[in-house]
Amino acid sequence: AEAMGVKGVAAALEQVEWLAGQTGLPRRLRDVGVSAEMLPRLAEMAMHSATVHKNPRPVRMVMELEELFAAAW
């Protein structure tokens, strides 16, 4: 928040949301053609990704990725 010149987490989140809206880029997985039925398979594929294994927050179960993808859907 401080780096963005605003006070508090809520104000920083508002700024990030505003900035994301200005890009015109898709913001959800469904906006780029991902169906809800695809989420479990995408999560399974992601579990084999080096990116997931190097993530600072450990991901131990595919269900964690399914929940993440569902939130992004």
Side-chain angles (χ1 to χ4, degrees):
E2 184 179 326
M4 298 174 77
V6 296
K7 293 187 186 230
V9 174
L13 182 57
E14 273 186 37
Q15 289 294 312
V16 170
E17 288 285 333
W18 177 83
L19 183 61
Q22 296 300 304
T23 67
L25 296 171
R27 299 182 61 199
R28 298 173 298 194
L29 290 174
R30 65 177 160 249
D31 295 340
V32 294
V34 175
S35 69
E37 294 78 24
M38 297 168 83
L39 299 179
R41 177 69 179 130
L42 292 175
E44 183 65 40
M45 291 169 59
M47 278 301 287
H48 301 287
S49 166
T51 304
V52 167
H53 295 287
K54 293 180 180 181
N55 191 43
R57 179 178 171 219
V59 177
R60 293 184 175 85
M61 298 176 62
V62 72
M63 182 174 56
E64 295 173 77
L65 294 173
E66 288 178 13
E67 290 171 359
L68 177 67
F69 291 163
W73 188 79

